[in-house]
């Protein structure tokens, strides 16, 4: 039976899904209304936007502990059923999903039912005044390098719990380092890593790679390689659990 907390988390997910659906309908209406008179300009504009997103430092070494796809396994654990989630630490819908399904997925990891891989990206730098998405992910990479997947997992949960409001400056680097230390990383190692910009290039690269792979928004979930479609009328926890059960039955 769902608890009051679970119901509230589910309601938040549904509300955000509804907001996103409304925004998408408005976006499509705008495109339909303008494409006839501005198709050439639109194509040129899109080309510039995509190219601009792929400039800058997209090289750089990866932190120790990432997978071949530049993800991080929750607590470093593997299991037959693979669940992958693309997230952004500034994404409010990601936070709502974490509240709704995170505890269930964490238990599934602990029980050995699933392998949960976080592929965190920095799509939403524009939603802060200080490129918070990139700074938070770079700090998480520093923490991973310092303390391993278990530390990254703890910091992952803390970052969503401490998520700043959209449009704000977000947490300072010092506050991010404090959270990393709370998660079990060496604070001085994280501070040194932040100041050196050790993983700034890696953050840009994994974000670009996700975009090239067709990830257009966060959160995006996959169960055994198949993208999950969530219904506004169904509890996301039920959707994921059903798909995980079906995948497990095929093992």
């Amino acid at each position: 039976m769902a608890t009051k907390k679970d119901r509230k988390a589910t309601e938040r997910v549904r509300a955000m899904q509804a907001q996103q659906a409304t925004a998408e309908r408005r976006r499509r209406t705008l495109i339909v209304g303008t494409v006839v008179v501005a198709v050439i300009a639109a194509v040129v504009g899109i080309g510039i936007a995509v190219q601009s997103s792929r400039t800058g430092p997209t090289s750089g070494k990866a932190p120790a502990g990432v997978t071949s796809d530049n993800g991080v396994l929750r607590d470093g654990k593997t299991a037959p059923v693979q669940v992958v989630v693309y997230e952004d630490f500034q994404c409010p819908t990601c936070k709502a999903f974490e509240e709704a399904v995170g505890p269930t997925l964490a238990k599934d990891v602990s029980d050995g039912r699933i392998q949960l891989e976080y592929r965190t990206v920095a799509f939403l730098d524009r939603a802060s005044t200080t490129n918070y998405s990139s700074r938070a992910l770079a700090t998480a990479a520093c923490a991973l390098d310092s303390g391993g997947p278990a530390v990254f997992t703890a910091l992952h949960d803390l970052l969503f719990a401490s998520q700043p409001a959209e449009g704000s400056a977000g947490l300072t680097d010092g506050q991010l380092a404090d959270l990393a230390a709370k998660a079990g990383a060496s604070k001085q190692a994280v501070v040194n890593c932040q100041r050196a910009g050790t993983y700034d290039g890696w953050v840009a690269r994994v974000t670009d790679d996700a975009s090239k792979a067709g990830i257009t928004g966060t959160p995006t979930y996959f169960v055994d390689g198949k993208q999950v479609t969530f219904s506004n009328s169904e509890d996301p926890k039920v959707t994921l659990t059903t798909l995980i059960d079906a995948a497990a039955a095929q093992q």
Side-chain angles (χ1 to χ4, degrees), residues 10 37 39 59 67 76 82 84 103 124 145 159 173 187 200 210:
T10 298
V37 295
V39 63
S59 58
T67 67
Q82 299 177 345
V84 172
L124 296 176
D145 206 31
L159 285 170
D173 284 351
K187 181 176 179 178
D200 292 354

Side-chain angles (χ1 to χ4, degrees), residues 12 15-17 66 111 119 121 168 183 201 234:
R12 289 183 62 188
M16 288 185 174
Q17 287 176 318
V66 298
D111 292 344
R119 296 182 188 171
V121 295
S168 69
E234 186 175 43

Side-chain angles (χ1 to χ4, degrees), residues 66-74 77 81-87 109 114-120 152 156 220-222:
V66 298
T67 67
S68 59
D69 293 304
N70 285 304
V72 182
L73 300 182
R74 185 176 178 93
K77 295 184 177 181
V81 176
Q82 299 177 345
V83 178
V84 172
V85 54
Y86 286 86
E87 300 175 307
V109 171
I114 67 169
Q115 168 183 299
L116 178 56
E117 182 176 341
Y118 298 121
R119 296 182 188 171
T120 316
F152 179 94
H156 167 276
T220 297
Y221 286 79
F222 292 84

Side-chain angles (χ1 to χ4, degrees), residues 89-90 95 125 127-137 139-140 155-180 182 194:
F89 288 127
Q90 179 66 82
K95 177 179 180 179
D125 277 341
S128 77
T129 60
T130 63
N131 293 329
Y132 178 77
S133 290
S134 288
R135 292 192 301 107
L137 179 51
T139 299
L155 180 57
H156 167 276
D157 295 349
L158 287 170
L159 285 170
F160 278 118
S162 306
Q163 186 183 82
E166 289 184 289
S168 69
L171 304 179
T172 66
D173 284 351
Q175 290 171 320
L176 288 169
D178 286 339
L179 287 180
K182 185 175 181 180
Q194 288 174 323

Side-chain angles (χ1 to χ4, degrees), residues 181-219:
K182 185 175 181 180
S186 162
K187 181 176 179 178
Q188 191 58 56
V190 170
V191 168
N192 292 342
C193 180
Q194 288 174 323
R195 290 175 177 170
T198 303
Y199 296 115
D200 292 354
W202 177 80
V203 167
R205 175 162 59 84
V206 298
T207 301
D208 188 53
D209 286 349
S211 179
K212 290 176 180 176
I215 304 302
T216 59
T218 54

